[in-house]
Amino acid sequence: MKTEIFEIRDAKNGEIGGEISGLDLRSLTPESAELEEIRAAIYRNKLIVIRNQELTPAEYVDFTRKLGTPQVYFQDNYHHPDFPEIFVSSNVNEEGKKVGVAGTGHYWHTDCQFQQQPLSLTSISPVVIPQSVRATYYIDMAKVYRALPDELKILVDGSTMIHGGNNRYKVQPSDVDKSLQQLIDYMNEIVPPVKHPAVITHPVTKEKALYMSSGFTMGIEGLTYEENQKAMRALFDFTEREEHVHMHSWDKGDIIIWDNRFLLHKSSQLPPGEKSKSYRIGIYDAYPFYIGIKNENHEN
């Protein structure tokens, strides 16, 4: 691959999304200065796009191993057949066989928010891009936290929120003949509801961010059901305002990486009949997810 001069262009005017060009990710070594610059750019910009990459699945996994520890998602129906680190979002059958899961992430969330150790970073590599715009939408929750009205800031400061992923479970072929209650019991067993601070502090930048999403957050600990219904509606309505939403359109050869501590995201809806396929790799970095949480070893 022909490369140009390595360049990082940071986001402007307090927005998210830096851009890196002139770099072949296959050439990086774990000790390379460029790798450290990529890490710093992720934390500084909250999201980066690395342009003009032509990585095989093996090379993609290898790059993420240099950046941190790739996640193997707990449900194997999402896995690439040869590389379990790759989470496949696809409505494209391969040789007549279904690979991965279609229709993922069409709601506001941050990856693995429903687990004790949420996912530090998420990387996406688009493989099949539909004819219409294929986009991912983001919300900067540090910016949202700073903009919260006083009555909502009082509500979240010092509070603990409860998160769960049961209502996002993707039914598998092995679930045939199981009742809904059996599936709920199964999810409660493998990923029971978890608690995290409503406001987290980033371990690198020390910036504070609201940590909640309409996709996974169930409520604030200690409030009644009625109080939570009112509180969640007010918080979700404010968070998801149009002025808080940033859109990134995918291009062929992009590697997109973002920090889940800062950003909510959701994928765009596809028009009927259009094909789309992307490879996602979750990455645990060297830091705890937020200050005050234990950093566990995620080596596979």
Side-chain angles (χ1 to χ4, degrees):
M1 179 194 297
K2 182 180 179 181
T3 58
E4 302 171 355
I5 297 174
F6 174 54
E7 181 181 9
I8 298 177
R9 290 183 289 278
D10 286 338
K12 302 295 185 182
N13 303 319
E15 297 299 318
I16 66 171
E19 182 177 331
I20 296 176
S21 59
L23 182 66
D24 185 346
L25 294 179
R26 298 171 298 187
S27 68
L28 295 179
T29 66
E31 297 79 24
S32 64
E34 291 89 348
L35 198 61
E36 287 306 312
E37 291 186 58
I38 290 172
R39 289 193 183 97
I42 294 168
Y43 300 130
R44 186 170 65 247
N45 292 283
K46 301 171 184 174
L47 177 148
I48 62 166
V49 183
I50 307 174
R51 303 290 190 188
N52 302 317
Q53 303 302 309
E54 298 175 5
L55 305 183
T56 66
E59 290 167 342
Y60 186 28
V61 173
D62 183 60
F63 162 64
T64 61
R65 286 194 184 282
K66 295 170 187 173
L67 200 59
T69 302
Q71 178 199 50
V72 175
Y73 194 66
F74 71 97
Q75 291 182 272
D76 59 11
N77 56 316
Y78 290 87
H79 294 175
H80 186 285
D82 301 316
F83 300 94
E85 300 91 343
I86 296 177
F87 176 114
V88 181
S89 178
S90 173
N91 64 1
V92 181
N93 289 340
E94 299 180 17
E95 298 180 356
K97 295 182 180 179
K98 178 177 172 57
V99 176
V101 176
T104 61
H106 298 320
Y107 51 89
W108 288 113
H109 67 291
T110 180
D111 289 332
C112 299
Q113 190 171 35
F114 53 86
Q115 295 185 315
Q116 289 291 349
Q117 291 290 325
L119 191 58
S120 311
L121 311 174
T122 296
S123 174
I124 293 286
S125 173
V127 179
V128 176
I129 301 178
Q131 293 179 352
S132 61
V133 175
R134 174 63 177 177
T136 303
Y137 300 90
Y138 298 92
I139 294 176
D140 181 351
M141 296 299 277
K143 188 174 182 180
V144 167
Y145 176 67
R146 292 194 299 269
L148 281 177
D150 289 344
E151 66 272 16
L152 294 183
K153 188 164 286 190
I154 290 171
L155 190 62
V156 299
D157 280 343
S159 295
T160 297
M161 289 196 177
I162 303 167
H163 313 275
N166 283 1
N167 60 336
R168 303 298 177 181
Y169 177 75
K170 293 284 189 178
V171 176
Q172 306 178 59
S174 59
D175 294 326
V176 173
D177 295 333
K178 291 180 182 177
S179 69
L180 289 176
Q181 188 59 55
Q182 285 176 305
L183 295 179
I184 291 170
D185 291 343
Y186 167 72
M187 285 296 290
N188 280 331
E189 180 181 351
I190 60 173
V191 280
V194 298
K195 299 175 184 178
H196 294 294
V199 180
I200 63 173
T201 302
H202 196 286
V204 177
T205 70
K206 306 303 187 287
E207 194 171 359
K208 292 184 181 297
L210 182 62
Y211 189 62
M212 64 177 299
S213 69
S214 55
F216 292 138
T217 303
M218 303 163 66
I220 298 175
E221 186 178 41
L223 297 188
T224 66
Y225 173 82
E226 291 77 12
E227 289 169 337
N228 260 317
Q229 288 291 101
K230 181 179 179 181
M232 291 298 101
R233 188 70 273 146
L235 286 164
F236 295 150
D237 284 348
F238 182 82
T239 297
E240 296 170 12
R241 286 181 178 178
E242 186 176 351
E243 63 262 31
H244 296 151
V245 177
H246 166 87
M247 184 187 80
H248 172 73
S249 298
W250 296 1
D251 290 318
K252 191 69 174 178
D254 281 358
I255 299 291
I256 306 118
I257 307 172
W258 66 85
D259 190 334
N260 282 300
R261 302 171 176 96
F262 284 126
L263 301 184
L264 298 187
H265 67 281
K266 72 173 180 176
S267 58
S268 58
Q269 296 281 353
L270 286 176
E274 290 212 29
K275 300 297 184 182
S276 177
K277 177 180 173 183
S278 65
Y279 289 161
R280 183 193 99 178
I281 300 181
I283 307 165
Y284 294 104
D285 60 18
Y287 302 97
F289 191 78
Y290 51 81
I291 290 177
I293 189 175
K294 181 181 179 181
N295 193 26
E296 294 186 355
N297 185 342
H298 293 283
E299 294 296 338
N300 296 326

